[in-house]
Amino acid sequence: MDATVDRPRPRPLHPVNAFLVSATVTLFLGALLSDLAYAMSYQVQWTNFASWLIAAGLAFGGVVMVFALVGLRHADRRGSGYLLYCGLLLAAWVLGFINALVHAKDAWAAMPEGLILSVIVLLLAGAAAWIGLSNLRVGDVS
Protein backbone atom coordinates (compact mmCIF):
# COMPACT_ATOMS: atom_id res chain seq x y z
CA MET A 1 0.00 0.00 0.00
CA ASP A 2 1.34 3.40 -0.97
CA ALA A 3 0.67 6.33 1.22
CA THR A 4 0.31 9.60 -0.60
CA VAL A 5 0.17 12.98 0.93
CA ASP A 6 -1.74 15.62 -0.91
CA ARG A 7 0.30 18.74 -0.33
CA PRO A 8 -1.58 21.82 -1.39
CA ARG A 9 0.37 24.10 -3.67
CA PRO A 10 0.38 27.78 -2.81
CA ARG A 11 -2.43 29.52 -4.65
CA PRO A 12 -1.31 32.30 -6.95
CA LEU A 13 -2.79 35.76 -7.00
CA HIS A 14 -5.92 36.30 -9.04
CA PRO A 15 -5.02 37.74 -12.48
CA VAL A 16 -6.86 41.00 -11.75
CA ASN A 17 -4.97 41.30 -8.46
CA ALA A 18 -1.68 40.62 -10.25
CA PHE A 19 -2.48 43.36 -12.78
CA LEU A 20 -3.38 45.85 -10.05
CA VAL A 21 -0.22 45.09 -8.05
CA SER A 22 1.88 45.61 -11.18
CA ALA A 23 0.06 48.85 -11.98
CA THR A 24 0.64 50.11 -8.43
CA VAL A 25 4.38 49.51 -8.72
CA THR A 26 4.46 51.21 -12.13
CA LEU A 27 2.62 54.28 -10.84
CA PHE A 28 4.92 54.62 -7.83
CA LEU A 29 7.92 54.23 -10.18
CA GLY A 30 6.54 57.08 -12.30
CA ALA A 31 6.19 59.21 -9.17
CA LEU A 32 9.81 58.53 -8.24
CA LEU A 33 10.99 59.41 -11.75
CA SER A 34 8.95 62.63 -11.62
CA ASP A 35 10.55 63.50 -8.29
CA LEU A 36 13.99 62.86 -9.77
CA ALA A 37 13.13 65.07 -12.75
CA TYR A 38 12.06 67.84 -10.38
CA ALA A 39 15.26 67.47 -8.37
CA MET A 40 17.27 67.97 -11.57
CA SER A 41 15.24 70.72 -13.24
CA TYR A 42 13.20 72.49 -10.52
CA GLN A 43 10.19 72.66 -12.87
CA VAL A 44 7.15 72.69 -10.60
CA GLN A 45 5.08 70.64 -13.04
CA TRP A 46 7.14 67.54 -12.16
CA THR A 47 5.86 67.62 -8.58
CA ASN A 48 2.31 67.92 -9.94
CA PHE A 49 2.92 64.81 -12.04
CA ALA A 50 4.30 63.02 -9.00
CA SER A 51 1.26 64.00 -6.93
CA TRP A 52 -1.15 62.61 -9.51
CA LEU A 53 0.86 59.42 -9.94
CA ILE A 54 0.95 58.90 -6.17
CA ALA A 55 -2.82 59.44 -5.97
CA ALA A 56 -3.39 56.88 -8.72
CA GLY A 57 -0.97 54.46 -7.06
CA LEU A 58 -2.90 54.83 -3.80
CA ALA A 59 -6.20 54.18 -5.58
CA PHE A 60 -4.87 51.02 -7.22
CA GLY A 61 -3.15 50.04 -3.98
CA GLY A 62 -6.41 50.42 -2.08
CA VAL A 63 -8.12 47.98 -4.42
CA VAL A 64 -5.17 45.60 -4.04
CA MET A 65 -5.52 45.86 -0.25
CA VAL A 66 -9.18 44.87 -0.54
CA PHE A 67 -8.14 41.81 -2.57
CA ALA A 68 -5.44 41.04 0.01
CA LEU A 69 -7.87 41.30 2.93
CA VAL A 70 -10.33 39.00 1.18
CA GLY A 71 -7.45 36.62 0.46
CA LEU A 72 -6.49 36.48 4.13
CA ARG A 73 -9.31 34.01 4.73
CA HIS A 74 -7.34 31.56 2.58
CA ALA A 75 -3.93 32.55 3.92
CA ASP A 76 -3.19 29.00 5.09
CA ARG A 77 -3.53 27.74 1.50
CA ARG A 78 -1.61 30.63 -0.02
CA GLY A 79 1.65 29.93 1.74
CA SER A 80 3.67 31.57 4.45
CA GLY A 81 4.62 34.62 2.38
CA TYR A 82 1.06 35.86 2.04
CA LEU A 83 1.05 37.61 5.42
CA LEU A 84 4.32 39.31 4.51
CA TYR A 85 2.74 40.31 1.19
CA CYS A 86 -0.22 41.88 3.02
CA GLY A 87 2.07 43.64 5.50
CA LEU A 88 4.25 45.11 2.76
CA LEU A 89 1.17 46.29 0.87
CA LEU A 90 -0.17 47.98 3.98
CA ALA A 91 3.17 49.64 4.74
CA ALA A 92 3.49 50.84 1.13
CA TRP A 93 -0.04 52.26 1.20
CA VAL A 94 0.42 54.08 4.52
CA LEU A 95 3.78 55.57 3.52
CA GLY A 96 2.34 56.39 0.09
CA PHE A 97 -0.44 58.34 1.82
CA ILE A 98 2.14 60.22 3.88
CA ASN A 99 4.05 60.85 0.64
CA ALA A 100 0.88 62.28 -0.91
CA LEU A 101 0.56 64.66 2.04
CA VAL A 102 4.19 65.72 1.64
CA HIS A 103 3.65 66.33 -2.08
CA ALA A 104 0.59 68.47 -1.27
CA LYS A 105 2.94 71.09 0.14
CA ASP A 106 4.72 73.67 -1.96
CA ALA A 107 7.16 72.16 -4.47
CA TRP A 108 10.19 73.56 -2.65
CA ALA A 109 8.91 72.26 0.68
CA ALA A 110 8.25 68.76 -0.68
CA MET A 111 11.89 68.04 -1.33
CA PRO A 112 13.90 66.03 -0.27
CA GLU A 113 11.28 64.30 1.91
CA GLY A 114 9.08 63.54 -1.10
CA LEU A 115 11.94 61.97 -3.02
CA ILE A 116 13.03 59.82 -0.07
CA LEU A 117 9.46 58.68 0.61
CA SER A 118 8.98 57.89 -3.09
CA VAL A 119 12.03 55.61 -3.00
CA ILE A 120 10.82 53.83 0.15
CA VAL A 121 7.27 53.40 -1.17
CA LEU A 122 8.54 52.04 -4.47
CA LEU A 123 10.79 49.54 -2.69
CA LEU A 124 7.95 48.36 -0.43
CA ALA A 125 5.48 48.05 -3.31
CA GLY A 126 8.09 46.29 -5.43
CA ALA A 127 8.86 43.83 -2.65
CA ALA A 128 5.14 43.15 -2.17
CA ALA A 129 4.69 42.58 -5.89
CA TRP A 130 7.71 40.28 -5.96
CA ILE A 131 6.37 38.16 -3.13
CA GLY A 132 2.82 38.19 -4.45
CA LEU A 133 3.77 37.29 -8.00
CA SER A 134 6.44 34.72 -7.07
CA ASN A 135 3.79 32.01 -6.72
CA LEU A 136 2.65 32.38 -10.33
CA ARG A 137 3.39 29.38 -12.54
CA VAL A 138 2.57 28.68 -16.15
CA GLY A 139 -0.86 27.10 -16.36
CA ASP A 140 -2.00 28.03 -12.84
CA VAL A 141 -5.58 29.13 -12.52
CA SER A 142 -7.03 30.40 -9.28
Side-chain angles (χ1 to χ4, degrees):
M1 176 183 286
D2 290 329
T4 60
V5 176
D6 185 26
R7 293 186 184 148
R9 291 188 331 196
R11 295 179 65 193
L13 293 178
H14 191 275
V16 174
N17 193 2
F19 168 75
L20 292 172
V21 167
S22 302
T24 302
V25 172
T26 305
L27 289 165
F28 285 141
L29 174 63
L32 173 63
L33 294 176
S34 295
D35 282 342
L36 288 172
Y38 175 74
M40 292 181 192
S41 68
Y42 297 109
Q43 295 292 325
V44 176
Q45 190 62 32
W46 287 113
T47 58
N48 295 335
F49 291 153
S51 295
W52 281 102
L53 289 166
I54 291 168
L58 288 173
F60 277 76
V63 175
V64 170
M65 282 301 301
V66 169
F67 271 102
L69 291 175
V70 169
L72 275 176
R73 63 188 168 121
H74 299 295
D76 57 337
R77 288 188 277 175
R78 292 196 182 267
S80 60
Y82 194 74
L83 289 175
L84 180 61
Y85 166 73
C86 292
L88 287 172
L89 280 177
L90 182 63
W93 198 91
V94 169
L95 286 177
F97 184 75
I98 294 169
N99 195 13
L101 294 176
V102 168
H103 277 83
K105 297 190 286 188
D106 183 53
W108 286 96
M111 291 297 153
E113 295 165 334
L115 180 62
I116 294 167
L117 281 171
S118 290
V119 169
I120 294 170
V121 168
L122 176 64
L123 291 175
L124 288 171
W130 184 281
I131 291 169
L133 298 174
S134 66
N135 288 332
L136 290 180
R137 293 178 190 79
V138 175
D140 274 349
V141 178
S142 23

